[in-house]
Amino acid sequence: MIETQKPTLLAVDDEPTNLKVLNQVLGNDYRLIFAKSGPQALELAHSKQPALILLDVMMPDMSGFEVCEQLKQQPSTQAIPVIFVTAMQDEVDETQGFAKGAVDYITKPISPAIVKARVKNHLSLVQADLLKAAQLELIQRLSHAAEYKDNETGQHIIRMSRYCHIIARAYGFNEAHAESLLLAAPMHDIGKIGIPDNILLKPGRLDQDEYRQMQTHASIGADILAGSSSALIQLAHRLALEHHERFDGNGYPNGLQGEEISIEGRICAIADVFDALTSKRPYKEPWPIDKAVQLLQEEKGKHFDPELVDIFMACLDDILAVKAQYPS
């Protein structure tokens, strides 16, 4: 049976006795490496890439504050969490440490239970951040996969996802919610990877059978993204499934009506259609902005949520700025 590799911790202190104590407390659960000076700590942090650094503040020549500041300035070490281990208890010193980028303080003499708990907690936070980063990378890679099928998709998904973010913020989403929509929106057309090229890239209008097959991309995308425990991928699943639903209930694949469609799906529908209308596609030339805007107004309460059309119009300058920034 292969033993799970222990996380590496870097303990930094100019007093060997203090390092010995940390080793006794943490050595059974982690692989410890040691530095007795600031320069040595910087070298080991760069070469060994520890999962976390326990850093003394009061050291000769180079203080822990200076070490932490340099760690946070280097791309290779700036993400490593730093916990100060110090006898200093002055509030000003704590404030300075957090300003330098530390995540926590532990005071000497250390309590083994507190040290173990703090280290475990911050490593759990690191793992959560890594998991989120992996989820975002998965979304980006799957979005790129769709680009291999449809060379219009790349700039389209950048523009429409930013339109979604603008509309969401104006609607009242907080920044975290709007950011989630920005990150999930590029997945709305992932189902197109299941559509044959002769249909997806057809230069003329689709016949009835071809159009029915094109419509299946919403269900295909939803199937690809279904069943995830990630809130972000769950949102992407809703967008893939709902971005062709209509406010009047005449959309597809499920004929949802009004608020049966999620607010994110209703936002995505407006952003998607506006960008499709104003972009060149194999089967059409781009529409002028005023013609596309007129269609949105005409489709209030039919294709689109009337309130969101009004919000779109209020944000039109910002929408057009994004369109200019990411031309096809």
Side-chain angles (χ1 to χ4, degrees), residues 30-323:
Y30 305 98
R31 174 177 175 263
L32 267 73
I33 55 177
F34 305 99
K36 296 180 181 180
S37 69
Q40 186 184 15
L42 293 172
E43 180 182 347
L44 286 174
H46 177 74
S47 62
K48 301 298 184 182
Q49 290 293 298
L52 183 144
I53 299 172
L54 295 156
L55 180 59
D56 185 31
V57 173
M58 297 300 292
M59 295 186 295
D61 301 325
M62 189 177 196
S63 73
F65 292 145
E66 293 172 304
V67 173
C68 188
E69 186 173 29
Q70 291 198 29
L71 288 169
K72 298 307 172 182
Q73 290 174 351
Q74 298 299 318
S76 64
T77 56
Q78 63 186 195
I80 302 172
V82 174
I83 298 176
F84 282 126
V85 184
T86 178
M88 301 171 65
Q89 298 184 31
D90 189 277
E91 185 177 342
V92 174
D93 293 319
E94 285 198 16
T95 301
Q96 182 180 356
F98 287 127
K100 299 295 185 184
V103 297
D104 210 344
Y105 263 85
I106 297 173
T107 58
K108 300 175 184 176
I110 66 169
S111 163
I114 290 177
V115 172
K116 288 181 178 180
R118 298 279 179 85
V119 168
K120 182 178 180 180
N121 180 57
H122 287 293
L123 288 179
S124 296
L125 293 175
V126 169
Q127 288 302 115
D129 288 342
L130 291 174
L131 179 59
K132 182 178 180 181
Q135 291 171 350
L136 295 180
E137 182 178 353
L138 172 62
I139 287 175
Q140 291 163 354
R141 287 178 181 270
L142 284 173
S143 300
H144 288 320
E147 294 179 42
Y148 284 95
K149 291 286 290 182
D150 180 2
N151 60 11
E152 293 296 328
T153 299
Q155 294 294 86
H156 168 63
I157 63 176
I158 292 173
R159 289 191 299 264
M160 69 82 57
S161 63
R162 282 161 173 74
Y163 299 162
C164 286
H165 184 267
I166 291 168
I167 298 167
R169 288 295 280 154
Y171 179 80
F173 282 23
N174 62 35
E175 181 53 36
H177 193 176
E179 180 78 7
S180 293
L181 182 55
L182 173 71
L183 296 171
M187 297 295 290
H188 75 286
D189 266 343
I190 188 62
K192 285 185 176 180
I193 64 176
I195 304 300
D197 288 350
N198 66 303
I199 295 176
L200 188 64
L201 304 177
K202 184 176 179 178
R205 183 174 294 274
L206 301 180
D207 63 33
Q208 193 172 28
D209 289 339
E210 291 168 335
Y211 182 64
R212 279 197 293 266
Q213 191 164 359
M214 175 65 88
Q215 287 181 316
T216 64
H217 82 273
S219 297
I220 292 170
D223 287 344
I224 290 171
L225 298 167
S228 175
S229 60
S230 161
L232 193 59
I233 297 180
Q234 289 171 5
L235 175 55
H237 170 266
R238 288 202 300 278
L239 299 181
L241 188 62
E242 296 179 354
H243 70 284
H244 283 293
E245 298 287 358
R246 291 172 51 105
F247 198 75
D248 60 9
N250 291 320
Y252 65 86
N254 294 316
L256 301 180
Q257 183 175 7
E259 293 185 3
E260 293 176 347
I261 310 165
S262 69
I263 182 60
E264 297 92 350
R266 284 177 272 151
I267 289 172
C268 184
I270 293 178
D272 189 37
V273 169
F274 176 77
D275 195 68
L277 291 175
T278 57
S279 301
K280 180 178 175 61
R281 294 294 171 88
Y283 53 87
K284 74 168 189 66
E285 292 298 314
W287 284 24
I289 298 299
D290 58 352
K291 183 180 178 182
V293 167
Q294 181 181 349
L295 182 137
L296 296 186
Q297 296 277 28
E298 292 171 353
E299 290 294 318
K300 287 175 63 172
K302 292 183 281 187
H303 194 150
F304 306 116
D305 181 330
E307 181 182 2
L308 292 178
V309 173
D310 291 341
I311 289 172
F312 179 95
M313 295 304 303
C315 298
L316 187 58
D317 288 346
D318 292 334
I319 298 287
L320 296 180
V322 169
K323 184 170 181 59

